[in-house]
Amino acid sequence: GAVVSQHPSWVICKSGTSVKIECRSLDFQATTMFWYRQFPKQSLMLMATSNEGSKATYEQGVEKDKFLINHASLTLSTLTVTSAHPEDSSFYICSARKPLAVPGTDTQYFGPGTRLTVL
Amino acid sequence: GENVEQHPSTLSVQEGDSAVIKCTYSDSASNYFPWYKQELGKRPQLIIDIRSNVGEKKDQRIAVTLNKTAKHFSLHITETQPEDSAVYFCAASDSGGYQKVTFGTGTKLQVIP
C-alpha cells in the first residue's frame, strides 16, 4: 500500500491567526495532491489540486488568497488557512495520487485528516 | 463539472442481510469509480473500485456494478456484519490530467446485530 501522513492531526487556534497543515507521501512520490474539506455529517468537498512545482488549481468558490497551497517537493504539500475564522472550522483531508505502471490507473491515498477548530 | 448523487442517505439492515447503495454521475467522460468507507473522525478507506471498461467487480462480500449507458453504479455488501457500519461514499473521477475525484453525498450504513 501507500502511506500519506498529515500534521497536525488537530489544531485549535484563535480567530485571525493562520494555520499551516502539512501533507506528506511517505513511500512514494506524488506530483499531484488534493485538499478536501469535510464539515460534520457531510461529504468531502474538493478545495484545490496541488501540483508540484506549479500553482494550485482551486475549485469554484474557494478563495485562493485565504487557502494558500504550496507543493514544494514531490512528497510534501502544505495548506495554510490564513486569517482563520470560526466558519473555517472543519476536517481538512489531503490525498496524494500514486502513479501506477498502467497509465490512467493512478490511485489516491488519503491522509488521516486535520481537525481545525477556530475559536 | 462532475456531479455525483448517492442514495439512500441512511440505511439500516439486520446483520447477515445485504445492503445496496446506488449512485449516479453526470459526466460521461468519467472512467474511474471508487468506493470509500469512512469511520467517524477517520480518513476515507478505499474498499473497491471499478473502471469504465468493466461492468462488475467483486471482492469477497463486496461487489460493484457499473452501467455506463445509464451513468449509474452500485455497491453491494452481502452478509453484513456490525463492523460494516460506517459512512460509505461513492465517487467518480474525470479523465482529465489531474484525475479529480468527485464524491457522492454519503450513505450512513447501520448494521443491527
Side-chain angles (χ1 to χ4, degrees):
Chain A
V3 180
V4 176
S5 70
Q6 265 182 259
H7 179 80
S9 56
W10 60 270
V11 57
I12 301 173
C13 70
K14 293 182 178 180
S15 184
T17 61
S18 294
V19 175
K20 180 185 283 189
I21 303 170
E22 293 185 350
C23 177
R24 293 181 185 272
S25 56
L26 299 185
D27 54 356
F28 66 98
Q29 294 182 332
T31 55
T32 303
M33 292 183 175
F34 302 91
W35 286 96
Y36 296 85
R37 181 166 52 183
Q38 185 177 32
F39 292 108
K41 298 185 179 180
Q42 294 190 22
S43 186
L44 284 80
M45 299 300 297
L46 179 65
M47 299 175 66
T49 302
S50 171
N51 304 291
E52 187 270 334
S54 64
K55 292 183 178 180
T57 304
Y58 290 82
E59 294 300 302
Q60 192 172 12
V62 178
E63 301 174 58
K64 62 180 180 181
D65 294 331
K66 180 171 181 63
F67 298 100
L68 302 179
I69 291 173
N70 185 279
H71 194 154
S73 77
L74 288 172
T75 59
L76 172 64
S77 175
T78 60
L79 168 68
T80 301
V81 183
T82 63
S83 187
H85 291 284
E87 56 266 31
D88 298 323
S89 299
S90 187
F91 193 48
Y92 291 86
I93 307 176
C94 72
S95 71
R97 203 176 92 192
K98 180 178 182 181
L100 297 178
V102 178
T105 63
D106 300 356
T107 299
Q108 283 195 38
Y109 293 90
F110 286 87
T114 297
R115 186 161 301 283
L116 170 64
T117 301
V118 185
L119 302 176
Chain B
E2 177 64 275
N3 181 49
V4 180
E5 295 188 356
Q6 183 171 348
H7 300 279
S9 57
T10 61
L11 179 61
S12 292
V13 299
Q14 292 289 332
E15 181 177 0
D17 287 350
S18 295
V20 180
I21 302 170
K22 298 183 179 182
C23 290
T24 60
Y25 62 99
S26 62
D27 188 352
S28 57
S30 290
N31 57 5
Y32 174 61
F33 307 92
W35 286 87
Y36 295 91
K37 175 183 180 182
Q38 187 180 32
E39 298 177 347
L40 191 62
K42 302 285 183 63
R43 79 185 84 191
Q45 296 277 5
L46 178 69
I47 57 173
I48 195 168
D49 56 14
I50 190 168
R51 299 190 184 271
S52 58
N53 58 346
V54 176
E56 184 175 358
K57 184 177 178 180
K58 188 174 182 180
D59 182 4
Q60 299 182 339
R61 298 187 296 109
I62 297 174
V64 58
T65 58
L66 170 65
N67 183 326
K68 285 171 50 180
T69 303
K71 288 190 276 189
H72 64 69
F73 55 115
S74 301
L75 177 72
H76 304 250
I77 305 175
T78 59
E79 300 173 25
T80 54
Q81 301 167 1
E83 50 265 38
D84 293 331
S85 297
V87 178
Y88 291 80
F89 292 99
C90 63
S93 178
D94 66 12
S95 55
Y98 298 139
Q99 295 177 286
K100 295 190 302 183
V101 174
T102 301
F103 283 79
T105 48
T107 297
K108 184 176 182 180
L109 173 64
Q110 182 184 20
V111 179
I112 304 167

